[in-house]
mmCIF file of all heavy atoms in Angstrom:
data_model
loop_
_atom_site.group_PDB
_atom_site.id
_atom_site.type_symbol
_atom_site.label_atom_id
_atom_site.label_comp_id
_atom_site.label_asym_id
_atom_site.label_seq_id
_atom_site.Cartn_x
_atom_site.Cartn_y
_atom_site.Cartn_z
ATOM 1 N N ASP A 368 53.412 -109.214 123.569
ATOM 2 C CA ASP A 368 54.411 -109.932 122.782
ATOM 3 C C ASP A 368 55.780 -109.255 122.884
ATOM 4 O O ASP A 368 56.806 -109.932 123.045
ATOM 5 C CB ASP A 368 53.968 -109.990 121.324
ATOM 6 C CG ASP A 368 54.987 -110.675 120.435
ATOM 7 O OD1 ASP A 368 55.321 -111.837 120.720
ATOM 8 O OD2 ASP A 368 55.467 -110.042 119.480
ATOM 9 N N PHE A 369 55.824 -107.926 122.816
ATOM 10 C CA PHE A 369 57.094 -107.212 122.951
ATOM 11 C C PHE A 369 57.686 -107.408 124.349
ATOM 12 O O PHE A 369 58.902 -107.545 124.509
ATOM 13 C CB PHE A 369 56.904 -105.726 122.665
ATOM 14 C CG PHE A 369 56.590 -105.419 121.222
ATOM 15 C CD1 PHE A 369 55.605 -104.499 120.893
ATOM 16 C CD2 PHE A 369 57.269 -106.057 120.202
ATOM 17 C CE1 PHE A 369 55.312 -104.207 119.572
ATOM 18 C CE2 PHE A 369 56.978 -105.778 118.871
ATOM 19 C CZ PHE A 369 55.995 -104.856 118.556
ATOM 20 N N ALA A 370 56.831 -107.416 125.360
ATOM 21 C CA ALA A 370 57.325 -107.630 126.729
ATOM 22 C C ALA A 370 57.945 -109.021 126.871
ATOM 23 O O ALA A 370 58.976 -109.191 127.529
ATOM 24 C CB ALA A 370 56.182 -107.452 127.723
ATOM 25 N N ILE A 371 57.325 -110.024 126.242
ATOM 26 C CA ILE A 371 57.878 -111.381 126.286
ATOM 27 C C ILE A 371 59.250 -111.416 125.634
ATOM 28 O O ILE A 371 60.190 -112.064 126.116
ATOM 29 C CB ILE A 371 56.919 -112.366 125.600
ATOM 30 C CG1 ILE A 371 55.615 -112.493 126.392
ATOM 31 C CG2 ILE A 371 57.562 -113.741 125.426
ATOM 32 C CD1 ILE A 371 54.530 -113.263 125.685
ATOM 33 N N ARG A 372 59.402 -110.708 124.528
ATOM 34 C CA ARG A 372 60.676 -110.708 123.803
ATOM 35 C C ARG A 372 61.796 -110.037 124.605
ATOM 36 O O ARG A 372 62.931 -110.494 124.619
ATOM 37 C CB ARG A 372 60.525 -109.980 122.471
ATOM 38 C CG ARG A 372 59.575 -110.615 121.485
ATOM 39 C CD ARG A 372 59.904 -110.112 120.106
ATOM 40 N NE ARG A 372 58.747 -110.072 119.230
ATOM 41 C CZ ARG A 372 58.795 -109.663 117.981
ATOM 42 N NH1 ARG A 372 59.928 -109.242 117.467
ATOM 43 N NH2 ARG A 372 57.723 -109.654 117.224
ATOM 44 N N VAL A 373 61.454 -108.923 125.243
ATOM 45 C CA VAL A 373 62.485 -108.082 125.858
ATOM 46 C C VAL A 373 62.911 -108.592 127.220
ATOM 47 O O VAL A 373 64.103 -108.581 127.560
ATOM 48 C CB VAL A 373 61.982 -106.620 125.955
ATOM 49 C CG1 VAL A 373 62.909 -105.792 126.830
ATOM 50 C CG2 VAL A 373 61.884 -106.009 124.571
ATOM 51 N N THR A 374 61.975 -109.042 128.034
ATOM 52 C CA THR A 374 62.283 -109.352 129.423
ATOM 53 C C THR A 374 62.969 -110.702 129.559
ATOM 54 O O THR A 374 62.945 -111.536 128.651
ATOM 55 C CB THR A 374 61.006 -109.341 130.281
ATOM 56 O OG1 THR A 374 60.037 -110.220 129.710
ATOM 57 C CG2 THR A 374 60.428 -107.942 130.342
ATOM 58 N N GLU A 375 63.534 -110.909 130.707
ATOM 59 C CA GLU A 375 64.307 -112.119 130.980
ATOM 60 C C GLU A 375 63.422 -113.350 130.950
ATOM 61 O O GLU A 375 62.348 -113.388 131.540
ATOM 62 C CB GLU A 375 64.976 -111.982 132.346
ATOM 63 C CG GLU A 375 65.900 -113.109 132.720
ATOM 64 C CD GLU A 375 66.578 -112.838 134.049
ATOM 65 O OE1 GLU A 375 67.306 -111.831 134.167
ATOM 66 O OE2 GLU A 375 66.351 -113.621 134.986
ATOM 67 N N SER A 376 63.890 -114.388 130.258
ATOM 68 C CA SER A 376 63.118 -115.617 130.130
ATOM 69 C C SER A 376 62.921 -116.269 131.499
ATOM 70 O O SER A 376 63.843 -116.340 132.304
ATOM 71 C CB SER A 376 63.831 -116.585 129.187
ATOM 72 O OG SER A 376 63.139 -117.809 129.105
ATOM 73 N N GLY A 377 61.720 -116.737 131.748
ATOM 74 C CA GLY A 377 61.413 -117.417 133.001
ATOM 75 C C GLY A 377 60.823 -116.524 134.069
ATOM 76 O O GLY A 377 60.214 -117.016 135.020
ATOM 77 N N ARG A 378 60.993 -115.207 133.929
ATOM 78 C CA ARG A 378 60.407 -114.290 134.910
ATOM 79 C C ARG A 378 58.975 -113.956 134.507
ATOM 80 O O ARG A 378 58.701 -113.707 133.323
ATOM 81 C CB ARG A 378 61.218 -112.992 135.009
ATOM 82 C CG ARG A 378 62.581 -113.166 135.648
ATOM 83 C CD ARG A 378 63.325 -111.842 135.664
ATOM 84 N NE ARG A 378 62.664 -110.847 136.497
ATOM 85 C CZ ARG A 378 62.930 -110.648 137.776
ATOM 86 N NH1 ARG A 378 63.853 -111.381 138.381
ATOM 87 N NH2 ARG A 378 62.306 -109.727 138.471
ATOM 88 N N PRO A 379 58.033 -113.958 135.453
ATOM 89 C CA PRO A 379 56.651 -113.644 135.089
ATOM 90 C C PRO A 379 56.497 -112.203 134.637
ATOM 91 O O PRO A 379 57.105 -111.284 135.192
ATOM 92 C CB PRO A 379 55.873 -113.913 136.388
ATOM 93 C CG PRO A 379 56.886 -113.787 137.476
ATOM 94 C CD PRO A 379 58.189 -114.248 136.887
ATOM 95 N N ILE A 380 55.698 -112.004 133.614
ATOM 96 C CA ILE A 380 55.372 -110.670 133.126
ATOM 97 C C ILE A 380 54.084 -110.222 133.783
ATOM 98 O O ILE A 380 53.100 -110.967 133.815
ATOM 99 C CB ILE A 380 55.228 -110.678 131.598
ATOM 100 C CG1 ILE A 380 56.575 -111.006 130.962
ATOM 101 C CG2 ILE A 380 54.721 -109.341 131.087
ATOM 102 C CD1 ILE A 380 56.508 -111.235 129.477
ATOM 103 N N SER A 381 54.084 -109.018 134.311
ATOM 104 C CA SER A 381 52.903 -108.479 134.981
ATOM 105 C C SER A 381 52.023 -107.756 133.969
ATOM 106 O O SER A 381 52.512 -106.939 133.188
ATOM 107 C CB SER A 381 53.309 -107.518 136.100
ATOM 108 O OG SER A 381 54.041 -108.194 137.103
ATOM 109 N N VAL A 382 50.743 -108.084 134.000
ATOM 110 C CA VAL A 382 49.766 -107.439 133.126
ATOM 111 C C VAL A 382 48.699 -106.834 134.025
ATOM 112 O O VAL A 382 48.123 -107.536 134.875
ATOM 113 C CB VAL A 382 49.127 -108.439 132.146
ATOM 114 C CG1 VAL A 382 48.224 -107.714 131.164
ATOM 115 C CG2 VAL A 382 50.203 -109.219 131.404
ATOM 116 N N CYS A 383 48.446 -105.554 133.864
ATOM 117 C CA CYS A 383 47.498 -104.884 134.772
ATOM 118 C C CYS A 383 46.477 -104.077 133.983
ATOM 119 O O CYS A 383 46.722 -103.668 132.839
ATOM 120 C CB CYS A 383 48.251 -103.969 135.750
ATOM 121 S SG CYS A 383 48.915 -102.464 135.010
ATOM 122 N N THR A 384 45.347 -103.884 134.608
ATOM 123 C CA THR A 384 44.339 -102.972 134.095
ATOM 124 C C THR A 384 43.686 -102.289 135.278
ATOM 125 O O THR A 384 43.561 -102.880 136.369
ATOM 126 C CB THR A 384 43.291 -103.713 133.240
ATOM 127 O OG1 THR A 384 42.448 -102.760 132.592
ATOM 128 C CG2 THR A 384 42.409 -104.620 134.098
ATOM 129 N N CYS A 385 43.288 -101.056 135.092
ATOM 130 C CA CYS A 385 42.697 -100.270 136.173
ATOM 131 C C CYS A 385 41.218 -100.032 135.894
ATOM 132 O O CYS A 385 40.831 -99.760 134.749
ATOM 133 C CB CYS A 385 43.430 -98.932 136.326
ATOM 134 S SG CYS A 385 45.130 -99.099 136.909
ATOM 135 N N ILE A 386 40.415 -100.161 136.924
ATOM 136 C CA ILE A 386 38.971 -99.959 136.810
ATOM 137 C C ILE A 386 38.550 -98.847 137.762
ATOM 138 O O ILE A 386 39.253 -98.524 138.717
ATOM 139 C CB ILE A 386 38.202 -101.259 137.129
ATOM 140 C CG1 ILE A 386 38.593 -101.785 138.522
ATOM 141 C CG2 ILE A 386 38.479 -102.314 136.073
ATOM 142 C CD1 ILE A 386 37.826 -103.031 138.940
ATOM 143 N N ASP A 387 37.386 -98.264 137.483
ATOM 144 C CA ASP A 387 36.930 -97.152 138.323
ATOM 145 C C ASP A 387 35.916 -97.578 139.372
ATOM 146 O O ASP A 387 35.584 -96.800 140.268
ATOM 147 C CB ASP A 387 36.354 -96.031 137.458
ATOM 148 C CG ASP A 387 35.257 -96.519 136.521
ATOM 149 O OD1 ASP A 387 34.885 -97.712 136.612
ATOM 150 O OD2 ASP A 387 34.764 -95.717 135.705
ATOM 151 N N ARG A 388 35.399 -98.818 139.271
ATOM 152 C CA ARG A 388 34.484 -99.315 140.301
ATOM 153 C C ARG A 388 34.522 -100.835 140.346
ATOM 154 O O ARG A 388 34.824 -101.498 139.353
ATOM 155 C CB ARG A 388 33.050 -98.819 140.066
ATOM 156 C CG ARG A 388 32.477 -99.122 138.702
ATOM 157 C CD ARG A 388 31.060 -98.582 138.602
ATOM 158 N NE ARG A 388 30.447 -98.843 137.315
ATOM 159 C CZ ARG A 388 30.521 -98.031 136.271
ATOM 160 N NH1 ARG A 388 31.193 -96.896 136.376
ATOM 161 N NH2 ARG A 388 29.928 -98.332 135.137
ATOM 162 N N GLU A 389 34.213 -101.385 141.510
ATOM 163 C CA GLU A 389 34.353 -102.815 141.758
ATOM 164 C C GLU A 389 33.432 -103.669 140.897
ATOM 165 O O GLU A 389 33.722 -104.833 140.642
ATOM 166 C CB GLU A 389 34.076 -103.117 143.238
ATOM 167 C CG GLU A 389 35.249 -102.830 144.154
ATOM 168 C CD GLU A 389 36.453 -103.702 143.804
ATOM 169 O OE1 GLU A 389 36.280 -104.917 143.598
ATOM 170 O OE2 GLU A 389 37.560 -103.157 143.722
ATOM 171 N N SER A 390 32.325 -103.105 140.445
ATOM 172 C CA SER A 390 31.387 -103.885 139.637
ATOM 173 C C SER A 390 32.005 -104.345 138.312
ATOM 174 O O SER A 390 31.487 -105.251 137.670
ATOM 175 C CB SER A 390 30.124 -103.066 139.360
ATOM 176 O OG SER A 390 30.446 -101.869 138.659
ATOM 177 N N ARG A 391 33.108 -103.732 137.906
ATOM 178 C CA ARG A 391 33.762 -104.102 136.648
ATOM 179 C C ARG A 391 34.895 -105.111 136.848
ATOM 180 O O ARG A 391 35.559 -105.476 135.886
ATOM 181 C CB ARG A 391 34.316 -102.852 135.960
ATOM 182 C CG ARG A 391 33.241 -101.854 135.542
ATOM 183 C CD ARG A 391 33.830 -100.701 134.763
ATOM 184 N NE ARG A 391 32.796 -99.803 134.272
ATOM 185 C CZ ARG A 391 33.039 -98.704 133.560
ATOM 186 N NH1 ARG A 391 34.302 -98.377 133.284
ATOM 187 N NH2 ARG A 391 32.054 -97.945 133.140
ATOM 188 N N ARG A 392 35.122 -105.533 138.065
ATOM 189 C CA ARG A 392 36.257 -106.395 138.335
ATOM 190 C C ARG A 392 36.159 -107.728 137.603
ATOM 191 O O ARG A 392 37.130 -108.199 136.998
ATOM 192 C CB ARG A 392 36.396 -106.632 139.837
ATOM 193 C CG ARG A 392 37.542 -107.574 140.219
ATOM 194 C CD ARG A 392 37.748 -107.602 141.707
ATOM 195 N NE ARG A 392 38.182 -106.298 142.200
ATOM 196 C CZ ARG A 392 39.451 -105.902 142.193
ATOM 197 N NH1 ARG A 392 40.402 -106.705 141.709
ATOM 198 N NH2 ARG A 392 39.770 -104.720 142.656
ATOM 199 N N ARG A 393 35.020 -108.384 137.663
ATOM 200 C CA ARG A 393 34.895 -109.707 137.051
ATOM 201 C C ARG A 393 35.130 -109.638 135.540
ATOM 202 O O ARG A 393 35.828 -110.472 134.972
ATOM 203 C CB ARG A 393 33.512 -110.303 137.345
ATOM 204 C CG ARG A 393 33.376 -111.752 136.898
ATOM 205 C CD ARG A 393 32.013 -112.293 137.289
ATOM 206 N NE ARG A 393 31.837 -112.323 138.721
ATOM 207 C CZ ARG A 393 32.248 -113.311 139.500
ATOM 208 N NH1 ARG A 393 32.860 -114.351 138.972
ATOM 209 N NH2 ARG A 393 32.029 -113.273 140.793
ATOM 210 N N ALA A 394 34.556 -108.616 134.887
ATOM 211 C CA ALA A 394 34.759 -108.464 133.439
ATOM 212 C C ALA A 394 36.225 -108.180 133.130
ATOM 213 O O ALA A 394 36.778 -108.704 132.155
ATOM 214 C CB ALA A 394 33.871 -107.344 132.898
ATOM 215 N N ALA A 395 36.876 -107.360 133.967
ATOM 216 C CA ALA A 395 38.293 -107.044 133.745
ATOM 217 C C ALA A 395 39.163 -108.276 133.935
ATOM 218 O O ALA A 395 40.124 -108.493 133.181
ATOM 219 C CB ALA A 395 38.727 -105.932 134.693
ATOM 220 N N GLU A 396 38.854 -109.103 134.928
ATOM 221 C CA GLU A 396 39.622 -110.333 135.129
ATOM 222 C C GLU A 396 39.480 -111.271 133.938
ATOM 223 O O GLU A 396 40.452 -111.907 133.508
ATOM 224 C CB GLU A 396 39.155 -111.019 136.411
ATOM 225 C CG GLU A 396 39.564 -110.270 137.683
ATOM 226 C CD GLU A 396 38.946 -110.878 138.933
ATOM 227 O OE1 GLU A 396 38.011 -111.702 138.775
ATOM 228 O OE2 GLU A 396 39.383 -110.523 140.046
ATOM 229 N N GLY A 397 38.267 -111.350 133.385
ATOM 230 C CA GLY A 397 38.060 -112.173 132.197
ATOM 231 C C GLY A 397 38.825 -111.640 130.997
ATOM 232 O O GLY A 397 39.367 -112.417 130.198
ATOM 233 N N THR A 398 38.891 -110.312 130.870
ATOM 234 C CA THR A 398 39.637 -109.695 129.772
ATOM 235 C C THR A 398 41.121 -110.034 129.856
ATOM 236 O O THR A 398 41.749 -110.398 128.853
ATOM 237 C CB THR A 398 39.449 -108.169 129.799
ATOM 238 O OG1 THR A 398 38.064 -107.857 129.576
ATOM 239 C CG2 THR A 398 40.289 -107.493 128.728
ATOM 240 N N LEU A 399 41.699 -109.920 131.037
ATOM 241 C CA LEU A 399 43.116 -110.244 131.201
ATOM 242 C C LEU A 399 43.373 -111.729 130.972
ATOM 243 O O LEU A 399 44.407 -112.111 130.405
ATOM 244 C CB LEU A 399 43.594 -109.834 132.597
ATOM 245 C CG LEU A 399 43.607 -108.332 132.899
ATOM 246 C CD1 LEU A 399 44.244 -108.073 134.260
ATOM 247 C CD2 LEU A 399 44.350 -107.562 131.824
#
Side-chain angles (χ1 to χ4, degrees):
D368 178 57
F369 291 137
I371 294 171
R372 296 201 210 180
V373 169
T374 54
E375 185 176 299
S376 177
R378 290 178 64 92
I380 295 172
S381 297
V382 186
C383 73
T384 189
C385 293
I386 56 177
D387 54 5
R388 55 180 180 270
E389 280 298 314
S390 60
R391 296 185 175 180
R392 178 172 295 276
R393 188 177 296 275
E396 289 173 346
T398 297
L399 294 186

